[in-house]
Amino acid sequence: FMHSFSWAFMIMLVPTIYALHTTINVPLIVALFIGNLCLHMIVDDRKANKRKINLIEDQLAHLIQIFVTWIFLVVMN
C-alpha cells in the first residue's frame, strides 16, 4: 500500500498542480488518485506475489497508467 500510495502521489503531483491552475476539478483528481493507487497495488501484486506477469508487463501497465492520467487531467480538462 505505501509503495503504491507514494507512486500515485508522485505521478499525480505535476498534472494535479497543472489542473488546479487551469480549472479546479477536485472529484476527478481524487478519483484518478484512488484509481492509480488501486491499479498500482493490483499490478504489483500480480507481479511480485502471484507471479502472473513479468517486469516488462508491470512497467508497461504503469506507463499506461501515467498516460491515461495525463489524458484525463491535461487533454480532457
Side-chain angles (χ1 to χ4, degrees):
F1 173 81
M2 289 308 296
H3 166 71
S4 297
F5 182 87
S6 65
W7 185 89
F9 180 81
M10 293 309 292
I11 292 304
M12 294 289 296
L13 189 60
V14 172
T16 299
I17 291 170
Y18 173 80
L20 289 173
H21 284 305
T22 56
T23 158
I24 298 174
N25 192 348
V26 175
L28 175 63
I29 292 168
V30 171
L32 285 171
F33 179 81
I34 292 170
N36 274 321
L37 173 71
C38 293
L39 282 172
H40 195 91
M41 285 193 318
I42 291 168
V43 169
D44 279 5
D45 179 58
R46 289 182 54 82
K47 178 190 64 144
N49 299 327
K50 295 186 173 123
R51 299 180 193 263
K52 297 283 185 187
I53 62 174
N54 61 33
L55 180 62
I56 294 170
E57 294 164 327
D58 170 79
Q59 294 302 302
L60 183 59
H62 297 321
L63 284 172
I64 291 169
Q65 280 182 263
I66 294 168
F67 182 70
V68 169
T69 299
W70 180 78
I71 292 289
F72 272 102
L73 288 177
V74 177
V75 176
M76 296 180 73
N77 213 352

